[in-house]
Every structure is written in structure tokens, then in C-alpha cells.
Amino acid sequence: MSQLFKDLERARVGEGVELDSLLAAVKWSADGLIPAIAQQHDSGEVLMMAWMNATALRESLATRRVCYWSRSRGKLWRKGESSGQQQHLVSAALDCDGDTLLLQVDQHGPACHTGRRSCFYVALDADRARVSSEPLIDPDALYGKGQA
Amino acid sequence: MSQLFKDLERARVGEGVELDSLLAAVKWSADGLIPAIAQQHDSGEVLMMAWMNATALRESLATRRVCYWSRSRGKLWRKGESSGQQQHLVSAALDCDGDTLLLQVDQHGPACHTGRRSCFYVALDADRARVSSEPLIDPDALYGKGQA
């Protein structure tokens, strides 16, 4: 863990650093990415996890519309650009060792490309996996073809 | 995405597959890992993100005590084994494309190695990062030295 994150462990509430210093200390992957968890700010429902690079994170913080990095398409992905189901950014936080983001968002409609509210719909028990929710919208109505 | 996850997209609530088939289709990293988000089941607070391999996931589902894979120590990590701050597994779900887990847990005390309830305490805005919560417990009281 970088010294910056060790120093923040002992900092008081409200103390901090410039965003540029923080981003220089973030534990980006070899591809320059960090996982970002999106949680609906009022209900607490965890909607999805996707990836951001520094550009996507800076854009999201500045515009308050969530922008990810699409690993499959290899480009910035402004959530909702093909489906219309945008995410408004309410707040963002990094974790203790600087390798994961938690976004509080206001998600319009389904977050999942299947038309479900949340991507986490395959419930696991010790011997089986079962689908636990229905789509809100038929995915064919969300896209010609594409991603959320 | 594997055919199994495509098939689950169109499955009805309650339909599913054997856990072994599902685990064979999960998108494990090159190191055989998948990120796992831990959420306090009743408050909705997102506590941490860590990693699981298939052994850790099977053990967690069977024993209902959350077991991760520690990348820094290169071994199974039964959460709380050094700090006493265990996680009881309430439920687990995989996401639509089989590359992220969401765990509903009952976390005893702080989840974070800093003594804070949640690891996500570095709040970001467009130009600064600020600490947003205090430790519940002095981390020196949690460990001689070690990880949560």
C-alpha cells in the first residue's frame, strides 16, 4: 500500500489531499483500471460493478454523469448512451488501500443489460444457482444490440 | 460471455443450474479469482471488496462464514481470523456475466483493517479527497499486526 493511503488511515474526518495526488497513488491494474461498484444512493441496492480509468473517473466527478471504461469495447462508456438508462453520480469513495471505488448513484431504470434493475440476480447456495429477479424491461426494447 | 450466462438471462425466477456447472462458467481471472463485494445485509452499507477463488467460495457457501483469498498472503483468509471481526454469510449472488460476486453478510464490528466499519472512507470530489469516517476501534487493538 502506498504511503499516501497509510497516512490517510490516521487522518481525521475532513482531512485529505488533492485529487491529483490521490490518483497518482491509486492501485490501477496493469491496464490502468480500477473496479467501481455502483449502489443506488437511497435504497442501498448494489446495481453493478464495472471499471474506470483515470479519465472516466475524472469525467464522472466533473460532470456527475457516470462514465466507465468498457473493457469489451476498449473505450469510454457513458452509462446509458445506448440504452438511455443513465446513472447520475451522487458521491464517490475510494477504499482503504486505493484499489476499489464505491459510487452512490441515482440509476434511471434498469442498470443491467438484461433489463433487470441489478446485475446481481444469480443467487447461489451450497449446491445450486437460481435466477432471483425478472427484467423490468425486455432487453430487446433497450437496445438494437449492445451494452447497458 | 459463456452460453450458460446467456441462457440464465432468459430463465424464469427460481430456474437455475447446479453450482458445479455455474462455477465452470465463471469468468475467473488469470489467477483463478473473482472480486466479491460484501454488503451488510440489513443496513445496506457496502463494507469492503476482496477476492475469492473457487475453494473460498465453496467453503463460504458451505460453512456460512466468509472466506476470501488473500492476494498479499497467497492463502485462504477466513475473515476475522486475526482480528476477531468475522463475517457471517447471509446470501450470495453472481452478476449477469459471471465476473463479480455480491455477498450479503452480517459483519461483526469493523470490516476495515483501519478499525472503520467500511473500507470506503476516502470521499472524492472533483478536486479533493477527504476522510469521511472515524475508526470504531483503534486498529492497534485489533491486531498485533496483520489484516482484517
Side-chain angles (χ1 to χ4, degrees):
Chain A
M1 202 188 326
S2 82
Q3 189 58 45
L4 182 140
F5 287 102
K6 284 195 207 305
D7 292 345
L8 287 175
E9 289 185 10
R10 301 284 174 163
R12 310 292 298 269
V13 168
E15 292 180 351
V17 296
E18 298 294 317
L19 188 70
D20 290 346
S21 308
L22 189 88
L23 294 188
V26 162
K27 215 188 287 173
W28 307 98
S29 72
D31 298 329
L33 303 176
I34 188 174
I37 303 161
Q39 180 176 33
Q40 175 65 27
H41 72 105
D42 47 6
S43 69
E45 187 174 19
V46 175
L47 300 170
M48 57 183 284
M49 198 195 81
W51 297 80
M52 286 187 165
N53 61 12
T55 303
L57 176 55
R58 284 182 192 278
E59 176 175 315
S60 300
L61 291 171
T63 66
R64 315 308 286 181
R65 177 174 167 191
V66 180
C67 175
Y68 297 104
W69 178 260
S70 168
R71 295 185 300 174
S72 57
R73 290 178 287 174
K75 61 175 192 168
L76 292 174
W77 163 34
R78 291 168 189 94
K79 174 73 181 162
E81 64 193 0
S82 59
S83 66
Q85 313 299 313
Q86 299 189 6
Q87 276 179 1
H88 172 75
L89 183 66
V90 175
S91 63
L94 197 65
D95 71 344
C96 52
D97 57 352
D99 67 4
T100 308
L101 287 162
L102 176 62
L103 312 175
Q104 299 293 333
V105 303
D106 193 14
Q107 167 71 52
H108 179 257
C112 184
H113 78 284
T114 65
R116 291 172 176 85
R117 177 70 176 163
S118 164
C119 293
F120 295 96
Y121 64 83
V122 182
L124 309 183
D125 67 28
D127 54 14
R128 269 191 86 75
R130 290 183 182 81
V131 169
S132 61
S133 72
E134 297 279 1
L136 303 176
I137 302 177
D138 185 320
D140 296 339
L142 284 176
Y143 316 98
K145 231 175 178 34
Q147 206 177 345
Chain B
M1 203 187 326
S2 82
Q3 189 58 46
L4 182 141
F5 287 102
K6 283 195 207 305
D7 292 345
L8 287 175
E9 290 185 10
R10 302 285 174 163
R12 310 292 297 270
V13 169
E15 291 180 352
V17 296
E18 297 295 317
L19 188 70
D20 290 345
S21 309
L22 188 89
L23 294 188
V26 162
K27 214 188 289 173
W28 306 99
S29 72
D31 299 327
L33 302 176
I34 187 173
I37 302 160
Q39 180 175 33
Q40 175 63 29
H41 73 105
D42 46 7
S43 70
E45 188 174 18
V46 175
L47 299 170
M48 57 182 285
M49 198 195 81
W51 297 80
M52 284 186 166
N53 61 11
T55 302
L57 176 55
R58 285 183 192 278
E59 175 177 315
S60 301
L61 292 170
T63 66
R64 314 308 284 180
R65 177 174 167 190
V66 180
C67 175
Y68 297 103
W69 177 261
S70 169
R71 296 186 300 173
S72 57
R73 289 179 287 174
K75 61 175 192 168
L76 293 174
W77 162 34
R78 290 166 190 96
K79 174 73 179 161
E81 63 194 358
S82 59
S83 67
Q85 313 300 312
Q86 298 190 6
Q87 276 180 2
H88 173 76
L89 182 67
V90 175
S91 62
L94 197 65
D95 71 344
C96 51
D97 58 354
D99 68 3
T100 308
L101 288 162
L102 176 60
L103 313 176
Q104 300 292 333
V105 304
D106 194 12
Q107 167 71 50
H108 179 257
C112 183
H113 78 284
T114 66
R116 290 172 177 85
R117 176 71 176 163
S118 163
C119 292
F120 295 96
Y121 65 83
V122 182
L124 308 183
D125 67 27
D127 54 15
R128 270 191 85 73
R130 289 182 183 81
V131 169
S132 62
S133 72
E134 298 279 2
L136 303 177
I137 301 178
D138 185 321
D140 296 338
L142 284 175
Y143 316 98
K145 232 172 174 40
Q147 206 178 344

